[in-house]
Amino acid sequence: MKAKMPNKPSEAATYLCNKCSKQFKFEQGTLICPSCQNTNKSDLVVISMKDNPEENQMYTEDDFLGG
């Protein structure tokens, strides 16, 4: 899991709306559920996101704990 900045723009991904259970793809613009028009980011959860190679280069072995 990676840290999130509070007011960072929403990332392109597949989201799930916790209010109406609608699953939708988001690319850019304002994150909004196409079914119920919900814009509360706490209710819109990322369920699938492609890896970003530029972001992955910032991580080191210390960022991943064994388990």
Side-chain angles (χ1 to χ4, degrees), residues 10-11 15 24 26 28-33 38-41 44:
S10 301
E11 299 182 72
Y15 285 80
F24 62 96
F26 172 76
Q28 62 182 1
T30 303
L31 182 61
I32 184 169
C33 175
N38 179 21
T39 58
N40 184 349
K41 288 187 178 183
L44 301 170

Side-chain angles (χ1 to χ4, degrees), residues 2-15:
K2 58 184 179 178
K4 295 286 185 182
M5 293 172 45
N7 295 317
K8 181 180 175 186
S10 301
E11 299 182 72
T14 301
Y15 285 80

Side-chain angles (χ1 to χ4, degrees), residues 8-62:
K8 181 180 175 186
S10 301
E11 299 182 72
T14 301
Y15 285 80
L16 174 69
C17 177
N18 284 334
K19 269 190 159 180
C20 69
S21 299
K22 171 75 175 173
Q23 190 175 348
F24 62 96
K25 290 188 182 209
F26 172 76
E27 293 296 327
Q28 62 182 1
T30 303
L31 182 61
I32 184 169
C33 175
S35 179
C36 69
Q37 309 306 308
N38 179 21
T39 58
N40 184 349
K41 288 187 178 183
S42 297
D43 291 331
L44 301 170
V45 182
V46 174
I47 58 173
S48 176
M49 179 183 296
K50 289 187 177 185
D51 284 337
N52 181 343
E54 292 175 359
E55 182 179 318
N56 290 344
Q57 288 178 353
M58 295 189 304
Y59 294 113
T60 67
E61 297 266 335
D62 293 334

